[in-house]
Amino acid sequence: MQELSRWPIFSLLDEDFLTSLKIAYVFGNAGNEAIVITRDDDVYALGSNGSSCLGVGDAQSCLHPRKVEALCKKNIVSLACGSGPHVLAVSGSGEVYTWGHNGYSQLGNGNSNQGLIPSPLTSALQMKKVVQVACGSHHSLSLTDDGEVYAWGYNNCGQIGLGTTNNQTVPRKINSAIIGSKKISMIACGQTSSMALSDAGELFAWGYNGNGQLGVGNNANQLTPCKVIGLVGTITTQIVCGYAHSLALSDAGCLYAWGANSYGQLGTGNKAHLVTPTKIGLDKGRFVEIAACHYSHLSAAMTATGKVYMWGQCRGQAVTSPMETKFTKVDSIFACFASPPSMFRPLIVDQVQEKRVEQSVKDAFNDQETSDLTFMIEGKPVYVHKAMLKIRCEHFRSMFQSHWGEDDKDVIEVTQFSYPVYRAFLQYLYTDHVHLQPEDAIGLLDLANSYCETQLKRLCERIIKQGITVDNAAMLLAAALKYEAVDLEEFCFKFCVNHLTAVTQTEAFNQLDDTTVKEFIQKAAKWGAFKY
């Protein structure tokens, strides 16, 4: 769940729900809308619902998932979104569903009425199997399994590729002489531009070209597909489009960039626009993946060694050269640094990698099958691993040495601490978390002092502070004094003074020894508790 957790829109969702997902797609002009698909093939949506693009039948926003009934059990395998916004979904059988804003017929249903729920396209695509869709601001592309490209929607700059600037209300095949005979393997959209990559590695572009984002050597709009001359002789394998810039990756692992560069999104070290593809990142090694999104001016790429780089508009900062990050996936760049934080592609949740090292260690706690040591506390066993204890705790590192008797034991009995306290301590070593009531946390605080576990001591103090009440305040104060927890002592003392009458009438206060009571009264007097 680490990758999903980077996206703020998912922060309120239950972990059980998140672990049920197989596909997630965050989109929208503020990155605050999402559509998710579960492993049971149910589809849910949440967020601001601009132009009813959540597909739930109304315009109500929501912070929690609502079921998109029209897409459930349809085997949706991919999604794309325009910044209008409008949304396209593709099923495993190749059917296309569209909904959302439709002022320019970008839904391809023959009219300009807003789509409240996903509806299947019943046009020239009905007899075709679509394998990919892409969206610009208000236009749409689809790619069929036989390599044909269909386009529809807004066409003021020729982004539909049909040779005119007339809007296209239904999908129409791009049948120009230059790509009509080519088998296309990949499509991509900028805000008002389009690109297609043939299975032979040839790149074609059309639409708006004011920033050189088509890479054809000039700034003139192109109403039909043109070959990207700067890449002739290069076998291109991947293409992506930003708002007004483009990236391409060759089969040799070379990265090319061109188009707008006001934020350094081309990665050339400056902010000069480029009208032809230019190699970048030559000192980074072989690239294997590239990323950009038509919502933003951000670029990202991964090398063969797993290094992830970003450049462009990174949370408002202009980064003009590829900057190495600590991420392991290019998707994370867009969650943390894109403006807006929208995905450049649907995120496929990889269950194989979901169980990370951290979770595996947590699951190993109290696992009798894999443990090599048992602690017996008040007659109850807790199953642990010597290696884990030695790695995490200096006390056990000293205990399990060859000249100490404990190193040869399979079972160790603990008598100085209670079962809840010692079990919580052992679990903490596996999880870094403590779940105890304040009264039990006192005992764990004692253990933390004994074992010199400073971090654990802080956790115990936090639990005690958060759980202090009139009834237990005096007891907690006494414990803080006993274990020399200065900050906790001060906190408990102030609480007792602030609730002086009530605290002094509790059983816990009556059980304080005379010395503690005397010192408390003297300190409270200096505090001004008895002034009229």
Side-chain angles (χ1 to χ4, degrees):
M1 305 320 305
Q2 185 180 27
E3 295 304 320
L4 282 181
S5 66
R6 297 189 192 280
W7 300 88
I9 194 168
F10 297 134
S11 60
L12 294 180
L13 302 189
D14 293 336
E15 187 172 344
D16 289 344
F17 180 78
L18 289 174
T19 56
S20 74
L21 302 183
K22 66 176 181 180
I23 297 176
Y25 186 49
V26 177
F27 59 96
N29 292 314
N32 58 358
E33 295 165 294
I35 294 172
V36 297
I37 305 169
T38 70
R39 299 183 189 282
D40 294 331
D41 202 21
D42 286 325
V43 182
Y44 295 85
L46 66 156
S48 61
N49 205 12
S51 298
S52 300
C53 61
L54 296 189
V56 292
D58 56 46
Q60 298 297 313
S61 61
C62 52
L63 290 175
H64 293 283
R66 296 173 64 187
K67 187 170 283 191
V68 185
E69 297 287 355
L71 295 180
C72 291
K73 311 305 179 185
K74 295 294 196 302
N75 187 27
I76 300 302
V77 295
S78 189
L79 298 138
C81 180
S83 56
H86 70 289
V87 189
L88 275 59
V90 184
S91 72
S93 60
E95 192 169 23
V96 177
Y97 296 81
T98 67
W99 67 99
H101 189 270
N102 196 31
Y104 301 95
S105 300
Q106 58 264 48
L107 300 188
N109 54 16
N111 60 56
S112 58
N113 300 325
Q114 184 167 296
L116 297 179
I117 60 173
S119 300
L121 281 180
T122 56
S123 60
L125 287 177
Q126 194 168 7
M127 304 304 293
K128 295 287 186 176
K129 181 179 180 180
V130 173
V131 294
Q132 187 189 353
V133 288
C135 297
S137 59
H138 299 90
H139 76 286
S140 308
L141 299 183
S142 67
L143 175 65
T144 65
D145 64 343
D146 54 3
E148 296 177 343
V149 180
Y150 290 76
W152 62 96
Y154 199 30
N155 193 34
N156 65 323
C157 302
Q159 56 264 50
I160 302 304
L162 301 177
T164 73
T165 55
N166 299 324
N167 294 348
Q168 180 65 32
T169 61
V170 294
R172 183 174 171 183
K173 181 182 175 182
I174 300 178
N175 204 19
S176 70
I178 194 168
I179 71 167
S181 61
K182 307 287 185 181
K183 184 174 183 179
I184 302 302
S185 60
M186 186 180 295
I187 53 176
C189 291
Q191 278 283 306
T192 48
S193 62
S194 305
M195 287 193 169
L197 178 66
S198 77
D199 62 352
E202 299 173 293
L203 184 57
F204 305 90
W206 60 99
Y208 182 68
N209 194 32
N211 297 288
Q213 57 262 58
L214 301 187
V216 295
N218 57 50
N219 293 106
N221 295 349
Q222 302 295 324
L223 305 186
T224 57
C226 297
K227 184 176 288 188
V228 180
I229 301 298
L231 291 177
V232 170
T234 298
I235 305 300
T236 302
T237 57
Q238 291 181 39
I239 53 170
V240 290
C241 294
Y243 186 95
H245 76 288
S246 308
L247 302 177
L249 182 66
S250 77
D251 63 345
C254 296
L255 174 56
Y256 297 83
W258 63 96
N261 198 27
S262 300
Y263 302 93
Q265 59 264 46
L266 299 188
T268 55
N270 57 53
K271 296 183 180 180
H273 299 347
L274 295 173
V275 297
T276 55
T278 301
K279 262 186 202 181
I280 65 167
L282 297 176
D283 60 336
K284 308 302 181 189
R286 183 188 182 96
F287 288 95
V288 295
E289 188 173 21
I290 55 176
C293 178
H294 72 274
Y295 277 107
S296 61
H297 310 283
L298 178 66
S299 303
M302 178 187 286
T303 66
T305 57
K307 293 182 178 179
V308 175
Y309 292 86
M310 68 178 185
W311 60 98
Q313 189 180 33
C314 303
R315 293 184 66 87
Q317 298 185 56
V319 178
T320 61
S321 297
M323 172 184 175
E324 186 177 346
T325 72
K326 294 184 178 181
F327 297 118
T328 58
K329 291 186 177 182
V330 290
D331 307 81
S332 301
I333 299 291
F334 294 85
C336 300
F337 287 94
S339 302
S342 297
M343 290 182 176
F344 82 100
R345 64 180 175 189
L347 182 62
I348 308 300
V349 182
D350 188 352
Q351 281 296 98
V352 175
Q353 295 183 0
E354 279 297 278
K355 191 169 183 179
R356 306 177 69 84
V357 172
E358 179 184 6
Q359 188 59 49
S360 297
V361 172
K362 289 179 180 179
D363 293 343
F365 173 68
N366 212 16
D367 180 6
Q368 184 176 6
E369 184 178 342
T370 61
S371 76
D372 57 1
L373 177 66
T374 303
F375 281 101
M376 293 296 298
I377 315 106
E378 298 177 346
K380 300 174 184 177
V382 179
Y383 304 102
V384 292
H385 308 77
K386 284 184 182 179
M388 184 65 191
L389 302 189
K390 290 165 72 175
I391 290 170
R392 291 281 285 141
C393 178
E394 181 63 37
H395 171 80
F396 290 122
R397 199 152 41 245
S398 300
M399 176 188 292
F400 298 127
Q401 294 186 21
S402 57
H403 57 277
W404 293 103
E406 286 85 351
D407 190 49
D408 296 326
K409 294 181 179 179
D410 296 325
V411 179
I412 296 176
E413 187 170 355
V414 175
T415 57
Q416 63 270 44
F417 299 103
S418 69
Y419 174 78
V421 165
Y422 212 77
R423 187 187 190 281
F425 167 58
L426 294 173
Q427 187 170 21
Y428 159 77
L429 296 180
Y430 284 76
T431 66
D432 267 339
H433 295 288
V434 173
H435 302 285
L436 282 178
Q437 294 298 314
E439 293 76 9
D440 287 324
I442 290 295
L444 190 56
L445 181 62
D446 182 18
L447 185 152
N449 268 340
S450 299
Y451 288 8
C452 299
E453 289 287 333
T454 304
Q455 180 62 28
L456 179 58
K457 184 176 178 180
R458 292 197 187 105
L459 282 176
C460 292
E461 290 180 7
R462 185 186 308 158
I463 292 171
I464 293 167
K465 288 179 180 179
Q466 292 173 347
I468 193 169
T469 66
V470 166
D471 290 328
N472 66 17
M475 181 268 290
L476 297 180
L477 174 62
L481 289 166
K482 177 180 178 182
Y483 302 126
E484 299 180 348
V486 178
D487 290 342
L488 180 60
E489 176 192 343
E490 192 66 19
F491 178 87
C492 293
F493 170 76
K494 289 179 181 179
F495 184 92
C496 290
V497 170
N498 290 334
H499 303 272
L500 187 60
T501 301
V503 168
T504 56
Q505 296 179 48
T506 63
E507 181 61 28
F509 188 83
N510 290 335
Q511 292 181 0
L512 294 178
D513 62 78
D514 292 343
T515 301
T516 301
V517 172
K518 182 179 179 181
E519 290 176 352
F520 172 76
I521 293 173
Q522 290 175 338
K523 188 174 180 179
K526 292 179 182 178
W527 188 263
F530 306 117
K531 290 181 179 179
Y532 290 99

